[in-house]
Each structure stands twice: as structure tokens, then as C-alpha cells.
Amino acid sequence: MTIDVNDTVSSVRSTTAQSENGEFKKDIPSSMVERITLILDAFGGRAAWLTLEEVAYRTRLPRSTVHRILDQLIKLDWVNHASIGYGLGRRALGLGGGHSHVREAAAPVLHELHLRTGLVVHLSILDGRDSVYLDKVGGRWATGLPSRVGGRIPAHSTAGGKAMLACIAPESVDALFGATLPRRTEKTIGEIGELHQELNRIRQRRGLAFERGEAARGVACVAAVIRGPEGHVGSIALCGDIRTAQLERVAPLVGDAAREVSRSLNPELDAPRRGREALPVSVDNFSAAMIDSLLFSSSDQWI
């Protein structure tokens, strides 16, 4: 009986491979496409975050191979990398920037927020210098608002957009906007220096953003960001009639809603905290000092 050594070696290589620690692993695919598919399938869900070792264990691929492929997938936006590990990127999460999971996680929270306040609720993401509406929940008053799901609006003119811009570095804001910003109303921020001042105020309020008549005349909004391991992933805003909306009263509910969605998307980031009812106040307008005393009476009130 004649044994073809080359055929034998080829057969062994196709069924086994040796990792860096000397252990043999079976059935490692030779195709790069198959290896990439194994790695992407390892995450198993939109909110999954895995360490390098966990990805290697789930795929049964050598650690060095996994690390090399992950590096390439990060560069191409198929995978994200953060301090807690690796997660699926925008391209892996589907068309439209992969934000359907954000809308899905936020949907019940948005509806509850509308029922509790009677105000219109917007869910937005930041795309360049624009806010893009992912969802809109409200009653009859919502039809009068110039916003629609999938619509765009300059981020610096909305509470939700400003909340997200406050999460990024000032130099990145400069790169997005020129010295002069487009105005939607006479109250819209029109200068980059003025925008930086507003973003600093939002940071001092721990991410809470207000807007009164800047995006549309007669409309006022308050917003907070939905956070992920690498920063913001979106924002939730409550909008109402500028004459009657008590934004300071409902602001804590917006913060709670944003935290709830953040934890739903990234359960590893935080443990659930006890929610709060709306503040028992009835006046329409407050000074900046009064807002701070109401909203920041505890150290962990905001994201």
C-alpha cells in the first residue's frame, strides 16, 4: 500500500491546527470569509461585548488569528473596541448605520415617557453635523412639529443634538462646523464660540440640554444622551409648547429614560438604579441656580 505524504499532511492541516499554547483545535476553516463569519457570529447579539479570549474560545480560532482579524474589522467599522472588550460595529448591525437596535431598545421607554408627560418624545442620533430622528412619539400636537422619522436637522439647533455634541471633544466640534452656523430661527446659535459656551453649560449640567425656539418657533425641548462604552449612541428629548412646557419639571424623567435605554443596550456598564418621580414643582421658569439645586441634589442623578 502506497501512502502519499503530501495528501496526508494536507488532510491533517485541513482538520487540525495548533494554537500558540500548543493545544490542537479542530475544523479551523482555511477561508478568511469563514473565519470572519465565525467571529461575527460569536457575539450572538447586538448588546454583546466580549474579550479577545472569549472570542477565541467561542470561535475555536487561535488567539493571534482572532486578534489580527478583529483589528481589520475595527478599521472597517464591522467591530467596535472599548475598555470592556469588543462589540459589533455599525456595519455589522445592519443598514442605516445599525441603529435599529437603539430604536428597538428605546421604544417602550419612549412610549412610557410620552404617557407620563403628555409631551412629544424624539429619539435621535448624531450623523456628522446633523441630528437624525429615529423615532417620534406623541399625540395630536406632534403632527404640528416639523420633525419626522428619518428626517435631519442641524444638531446645534436641537436639545438632543446639543446633548450629543457636548459628549465629543471641542476640536471635533470645530471640525464639524465652520465659524458661522446656519440658523433656523432668530434664536438658533449662529457662531461657533457661542456653541462652545452652550456645550460647556451642558457638560456642567452633566449632559442635560435645553432648547427654546432654536429649532422651531414656539417649541421647547429638554434632552439627555443615551450612552455606550465609547460615548453617546443617541439622545432622548421631550418637546412641547414653549408657553406651557415645564421642562425643568420633566427633566429628571428624561435623564431616567436615557439611563434606562443605556443600561438596556449595555448592561455591563451600570447596575440599575432606583427611578424617581417628577419633581413636585409647578412654576414655569427657574433661574440657573434653581435648576442646579433641583436637578443635581444627588451625585448620581445624571448619566
Side-chain angles (χ1 to χ4, degrees), residues 1-70:
M1 178 177 180
T2 303
I3 299 177
D4 190 321
V5 176
N6 290 331
D7 287 346
T8 303
V9 172
S10 176
S11 175
V12 171
R13 285 179 177 174
S14 66
T15 57
T16 64
Q18 192 171 25
S19 65
E20 303 88 65
N21 59 11
E23 295 181 355
F24 281 90
K25 301 192 175 189
K26 298 181 179 181
D27 301 323
I28 294 178
S30 58
S31 166
M32 180 59 70
V33 173
E34 291 179 277
R35 295 185 183 192
I36 291 173
T37 301
L38 278 177
I39 289 174
L40 293 178
D41 285 347
F43 292 92
R46 298 177 181 276
W49 288 85
L50 304 174
T51 64
L52 176 61
E53 288 72 21
E54 288 171 331
V55 178
Y57 177 80
R58 292 189 180 192
T59 60
R60 298 178 60 82
L61 293 173
R63 186 177 184 276
S64 60
T65 299
V66 173
H67 187 266
R68 182 172 62 254
I69 294 175
L70 284 173

Side-chain angles (χ1 to χ4, degrees), residues 139-204:
R140 288 178 295 177
W141 197 76
T143 60
L145 288 180
S147 57
R148 61 177 179 81
V149 175
R152 290 175 172 269
I153 188 170
H156 70 283
S157 67
T158 70
K162 290 189 295 184
M164 292 184 286
L165 289 174
C167 294
I168 65 179
E171 55 269 25
S172 298
V173 175
D174 287 336
L176 289 174
F177 298 93
T180 303
L181 285 60
R183 294 182 183 270
R184 289 182 58 87
T185 74
E186 66 280 359
K187 294 185 178 181
T188 307
I189 295 173
E191 303 293 336
I192 190 66
E194 185 182 355
L195 177 60
H196 281 302
Q197 292 176 0
E198 172 69 1
L199 298 183
N200 283 333
R201 287 190 288 268
I202 293 170
R203 296 181 188 111
Q204 291 169 7

Side-chain angles (χ1 to χ4, degrees), residues 274-291:
R274 184 176 59 187
R276 295 178 304 280
E277 297 297 326
L279 295 174
V281 294
S282 58
V283 293
D284 294 337
N285 298 304
F286 294 84
S287 65
M290 180 63 74
I291 293 174

Side-chain angles (χ1 to χ4, degrees), residues 163 167 202-208 223-228 231-236 251-263 269-270 273 276 295-296 298-303:
C167 294
I202 293 170
R203 296 181 188 111
Q204 291 169 7
R205 292 195 295 262
R206 304 178 190 180
L208 193 67
V225 292
I226 301 168
R227 295 186 183 275
H232 71 84
V233 297
S235 67
I236 295 176
L253 299 181
V254 179
D256 281 341
R259 276 193 297 274
E260 184 175 348
V261 178
S262 298
R263 290 193 297 266
L269 294 182
D270 198 4
R273 296 173 180 171
R276 295 178 304 280
L295 301 184
F296 308 128
S298 63
S299 60
D300 66 346
Q301 188 158 346
W302 298 107
I303 298 173

